[in-house]
Amino acid sequence: MRLTALALTLAIAWTAAADDATPAPRAQKGADADPKEAPKLRLPGEAGVSRLIPDVPFTDLAGKAGKLSDFKQSKLLVVAFTNTTCPLCKKYTPVLQRLEKEFAPKGVSFLFVNPTKGDKPDATTFAGRYAHDTDGTLTAALGATSTTEVFVLDAARTVRYRGAVSDQYGLGYALDAPRASYLATALSDLLADKRPVVQATTAPGCELVPDRAKAPAVALTYHARVERIVQANCAECHRKGGVGPFALDTYDAVVANKGMIRKVVDKGTMPPWFAAPPKKGEHSPFANDRTLTEADKSDLLTWLAGDLKKGDPADAPLPRTDESGWGLGKPDAVFQLPKPVAIKAEGTMPYQVVSVPTEFDEDKWVQAVEVQPGAREVVHHVLVFALPKGQRIGGEAQGFFAAYVPGSTALVYPEGYAKKLPKGSNLMFQLHYTPNGTATIDRTRIGLVFANTAPRYEVRVTGIANPAFTIPAGADNHRVNASIPYVPFDAHVLALFPHAHLRGKAARYELRAGGKTTTLLDVPHYDFNWQLQYRFAEPVPVPKGSVLTYTAWYDNSDKNPANPDATKPVRWGPQTADEMHLGYVEFVVAPGAPAGGLLGLRPGAAADFKFPKDGITIPDQFKERFKRFDTNDDGKLDEKEFNALPEAVKAVVIGYVQRTAP
C-alpha cells in the first residue's frame, strides 16, 4: 500500500527516543569463519584507481618484447591476471575469451599476465598477447594481489577499473550466471565516456604478494601524479559548469589556487566528506567515501609546498570529457521546467511546484538520475516526485524519486538496481529558491538513464523526520530524534542522506535488530553547504521488525557563526533560516515485498488499541494537516472521525496513542 506523506511524517515524528548503543556483532575467525568469499567493493583511491602505471617492459610467450605503451592506440587495455593451476582462473578462462571476442572490435586490447613462475602457460589460450611474468615486474608495477584480478587502463595508462571479472565465481561457490558483470560493465561505461559505477572490487583467487621493490617509481610531477589526483578527487565539482567556485582543469589553475588547496586539504575540509573515520585497521563502509588516501594527500601537499614541477606532458592523463554537461553521461531522456521560474532579488520565496508529464506508455526502470538547476546560485534544493496522474505531491518526508542539494550530483546505481518510473507518471518538481540579491530565472531539468532490463532489486526512498521539535534560543547542542518503529518487511539499505539547515551540528543513524544496536552512520560535524549522500559499499540488511532511528543535534547559540538569530527558538520550516530534522533512507526490498515505504505498525498494535474516551488531541503542529479529518473543528479526533481516517494514517495515530499513553 502506498503511504501518504502525512502518514509517514506523523509516524516518524511521534516515535519515541533511540535505544542505548551496543557494539555490532563481529565475524568470528577460525572454524566459525565463513570460507566463502565473493568480490567486495573497494574505495577507488585505496585500490589505486586513477594512478599512472609505469611503462614497464615484458616479453610475451611468442618471444616478442613489448611495453604497456604498445597499446596506446587502443581505446582501452585490459591487463588480466591468470594462470593454469588456480581453479578460479580455469573457470574464468572461457569468460575472458568471450569478453575478448566481444570487445576487441570496439577498440579494447587484452594483455594476459601469468604471475606464477612454475606454470607452463599455453600461448593459444587467448587471442591477445600473453606474458609469463616470471620476474614479477608486471605484477609489481600493477600491484596485483590475486591471480584473477583484472586492470583496465586507458590510452594514458591510467587505471580506470580494477577488480573482479564478475561475481559468478568466488572462493567456495559458483553461480550459473553472474549477478554483476563488473569488467564488462566497466568497459561499456568507459567506451561511452562514463565513469564506471563500480570502479574497484576485490578479486577472490590465489593470493599474490608483489615485490614492490621491482615497481618503477612514478615521478612526483603535475602530469604524472598531481593531475590525476585532482581529476579523481576535485574535477567533479571544480570544472566548467560544476558547483565548485572555480575550475581546476589546468596546471595554471591548480598553481593559481595552491594556497587555498593546501589549506582545505590539510584541514580535511576538501574533498568534502563528514562521516566519522573508520576505526584503525578497518575500511570505510561507504563506496563513495571522498577522503583522500594518505598517499594522495601526502603527495599533493608535498608537491604544492615544493617546486611545482610540471613534468613530461607524455605522462599526462587523458582530458576529462564533459561534453554532455551531465555527471551521469548522456541521458536517455531529459525533462525541463516548461517555462522559466522568475527568482526575485530579495526576501524569501515559497516553494515552487511544477508538474512535467513524461508521457511514457510503459513502465521505465531508471538506473541513473541527475537534477541540474539552471541557476545554481539561488537553488537551495530540489525534490522530484514520480506521481501517477491525479496524485498530489506530499511533504519532504515522502520518499523522493530524485533530488538536488549542494554536494550531491548524479545518482547512479550498479547493475541490477533501478528505480521504477510508472508509465504516464508526472514528474513533480518541488523547488526551493533562496534569493541572493540579484533577480534571475531558473529552468531546472532532470536527466534519466534507463536500465536495459528489469532489475533484480527496486530502489526506494523514505524519510525519517520529526517536525514537532523546538530548538530553544541559545541551545548549543539540542538533540532531536525520530524513528521508524517497525520495518514491515526484509530490506537492505543502500544509502543515507541526512538533512538539516544552518543550525545542523551532527547526525547519526542507528539500526536496532536482533537485540543489538548498530551505528550505520555518524556525522560528527554536519555542514549545511555540503549535504552529501553516504552510499554503502555493501547493502546493509534490515530484517523485518527492525527499528531505524535518526538523531540530529543542533547549535542555536551565538557560537554558531552561521546562526541567523541565537535569541529566538527555532522550529520546522521550509526556509534556510528555519530548521528541519529529516534523514532520508534509500533502500531495496526482497523480491515480492509490498509496495510502499519502511513504515509499519508493530504486530498486535491495532488489536490492542482502545479508543480514548476523551478522543485524541491533535498536536498543534499537525492541526492544519488534520483539518480535513477534524470535521467538527474542535482540535480533536472523535471515534467517528478516527474511523474515517485512511488506513495508513490510522496506523500512525494508533502508534502515537500507544506510545504516549500514561
Side-chain angles (χ1 to χ4, degrees):
M1 180 176 66
R2 185 179 297 275
L3 297 173
T4 65
L6 174 62
L8 184 58
T9 301
L10 293 180
I12 300 164
W14 288 348
T15 300
D19 300 293
D20 293 334
T22 55
R26 296 180 179 272
Q28 297 182 36
K29 297 181 179 180
D32 293 334
D34 190 347
K36 297 186 293 296
E37 182 182 338
K40 294 183 179 180
L41 269 63
R42 298 181 65 188
L43 295 181
E46 290 183 354
V49 172
S50 82
R51 69 186 174 99
L52 171 66
I53 299 300
D55 192 17
V56 292
F58 65 89
T59 301
D60 63 25
L61 292 183
K64 182 179 178 181
K67 295 189 297 184
L68 292 179
S69 58
D70 293 348
F71 302 93
K72 64 183 179 181
Q73 300 304 319
S74 302
K75 292 181 179 178
L76 298 168
L77 169 64
V78 176
V79 182
F81 282 77
T82 186
N83 73 11
T84 64
T85 54
C86 174
L88 291 181
C89 289
K90 293 179 180 180
K91 292 179 179 181
Y92 274 118
T93 292
V95 180
L96 288 168
Q97 290 170 335
R98 288 194 298 271
L99 290 172
E100 187 179 17
K101 186 176 180 179
E102 176 185 353
F103 284 97
K106 301 177 183 180
V108 179
S109 294
F110 283 72
L111 171 64
F112 298 93
V113 179
N114 187 320
T116 308
K117 190 173 183 178
D119 250 17
K120 295 181 179 180
D122 183 354
T124 64
T125 304
F126 303 103
R129 299 179 72 176
Y130 193 147
H132 194 184
D133 189 35
T134 55
D135 66 357
T137 301
L138 275 171
T139 305
L142 287 144
T145 57
S146 87
T147 54
T148 63
E149 196 164 23
V150 296
F151 296 76
V152 178
L153 312 183
D154 63 22
R157 303 195 312 279
T158 303
V159 179
R160 304 300 302 275
Y161 169 78
R162 174 186 182 177
V165 174
S166 73
D167 68 348
Q168 184 173 5
Y169 307 114
L171 298 180
Y173 80 91
L175 302 175
D176 186 55
R179 293 166 297 194
S181 300
Y182 299 115
L183 177 57
T185 302
L187 291 173
S188 297
D189 286 345
L190 290 167
L191 290 171
D193 289 330
K194 300 178 183 178
R195 179 182 293 188
V197 178
V198 176
Q199 299 179 69
T201 75
T202 60
C206 299
E207 187 173 347
L208 300 175
V209 183
D211 184 353
R212 300 188 182 279
K214 293 184 178 180
V218 173
L220 184 53
T221 66
Y222 174 74
H223 286 312
R225 186 79 174 100
V226 172
E227 189 172 5
R228 286 175 170 80
I229 296 173
V230 172
Q231 269 196 3
N233 298 283
C234 312
E236 180 182 357
C237 295
H238 290 275
R239 60 182 174 87
K240 184 179 179 181
V243 299
F246 47 80
L248 291 174
D249 52 359
T250 66
Y251 171 83
D252 290 339
V254 173
V255 172
N257 293 282
K258 66 177 183 179
M260 180 56 72
I261 297 172
R262 287 178 62 184
K263 179 179 179 179
V264 297
V265 169
D266 190 46
K267 289 180 63 178
T269 56
M270 286 287 150
W273 185 256
F274 307 109
K279 294 179 180 179
K280 188 175 181 180
E282 296 183 359
H283 294 283
S284 170
F286 301 105
N288 64 328
D289 191 327
R290 298 169 181 257
T291 307
L292 282 175
T293 65
E294 287 301 317
D296 285 351
K297 183 175 181 179
S298 175
D299 283 353
L300 179 57
L301 292 176
T302 299
W303 183 84
L304 290 169
D307 53 11
L308 305 174
K309 284 184 179 179
K310 197 170 186 177
D312 187 349
D315 290 336
L318 299 180
R320 181 185 171 98
T321 56
D322 290 304
E323 289 84 358
S324 69
W326 296 90
L328 48 62
K330 185 179 179 181
D332 294 320
V334 177
F335 298 94
Q336 190 171 32
L337 302 185
K339 60 182 181 180
V341 177
I343 316 301
K344 62 183 182 178
E346 300 177 80
T348 61
M349 290 182 62
Y351 280 18
Q352 304 295 302
V353 179
V354 181
S355 179
V356 180
T358 62
E359 298 182 350
F360 291 124
D361 57 6
E362 61 179 1
D363 294 342
K364 293 287 187 180
W365 289 104
V366 178
Q367 190 171 11
V369 58
E370 180 177 352
V371 178
Q372 279 195 351
R376 294 181 188 272
E377 66 275 12
V378 294
V379 177
H380 177 266
H381 75 262
V382 180
L383 293 178
V384 182
F385 303 87
L387 304 177
K389 288 184 178 180
Q391 181 175 323
R392 298 181 62 187
I393 192 170
E396 291 85 355
Q398 178 177 336
F400 57 78
F401 178 74
Y404 167 82
V405 293
S408 180
T409 53
L411 286 175
V412 184
Y413 299 106
E415 182 181 357
Y417 295 79
K419 285 185 173 181
K420 188 176 183 179
L421 179 63
K423 63 181 181 181
S425 294
N426 291 322
L427 293 177
M428 192 73 74
F429 288 74
Q430 183 195 76
L431 305 112
H432 181 197
Y433 296 107
T434 52
N436 67 350
T438 302
T440 187
I441 59 173
D442 171 69
R443 285 193 73 185
T444 290
R445 60 180 183 166
I446 186 172
L448 309 175
V449 174
F450 301 129
N452 295 325
T453 59
R456 297 191 312 277
Y457 301 106
E458 180 183 351
V459 179
R460 304 178 189 174
V461 179
T462 197
I464 307 177
N466 182 350
F469 64 84
T470 298
I471 305 172
D476 64 356
N477 196 43
H478 186 74
R479 181 176 182 266
V480 179
N481 69 285
S483 67
I484 296 173
Y486 183 84
V487 175
F489 43 69
D490 290 334
H492 283 77
V493 171
L494 294 183
L496 303 170
F497 303 73
H499 176 70
H501 291 177
L502 295 173
R503 283 94 168 173
K505 180 178 181 180
R508 182 180 297 151
Y509 289 81
E510 293 172 303
L511 167 67
R512 185 165 182 82
K516 301 288 186 180
T517 299
T518 304
T519 297
L520 300 182
L521 170 65
D522 187 17
V523 179
H525 301 289
Y526 176 84
D527 187 340
F528 169 74
N529 298 296
W530 293 99
Q531 298 174 45
L532 306 180
Q533 57 167 305
Y534 298 86
R535 185 161 299 282
F536 291 102
E538 299 293 332
V540 177
V542 178
K544 179 180 179 180
S546 301
V547 180
L548 275 170
T549 300
Y550 175 66
T551 306
W553 289 263
Y554 299 86
D555 185 352
N556 192 26
S557 74
D558 55 9
K559 301 173 187 175
N560 177 1
N563 192 354
D565 190 346
T567 66
K568 295 180 180 179
V570 183
R571 298 176 177 84
W572 178 285
Q575 298 300 328
T576 304
D578 300 319
E579 199 45 81
M580 285 188 180
H581 177 271
L582 179 55
Y584 285 113
V585 179
E586 183 183 78
F587 65 100
V588 293
V589 295
L598 294 175
L599 174 64
L601 195 62
R602 294 184 185 279
D608 295 339
F609 178 69
K610 294 182 180 180
F611 191 84
K613 62 179 181 180
D614 296 328
I616 302 170
T617 301
I618 303 170
D620 289 342
Q621 65 270 23
F622 297 119
K623 284 182 177 177
E624 184 63 31
R625 298 185 185 187
F626 266 78
K627 202 167 187 178
R628 63 192 177 105
F629 303 123
D630 183 16
T631 55
N632 60 6
D633 200 27
D634 65 351
K636 294 183 177 182
L637 293 176
D638 58 30
E639 193 162 4
K640 182 179 179 181
E641 293 167 335
F642 169 80
N643 289 331
L645 293 174
E647 289 304 313
V649 180
K650 187 184 295 183
V652 170
V653 174
I654 290 173
Y656 163 70
V657 173
Q658 291 179 332
R659 287 188 297 271
T660 57

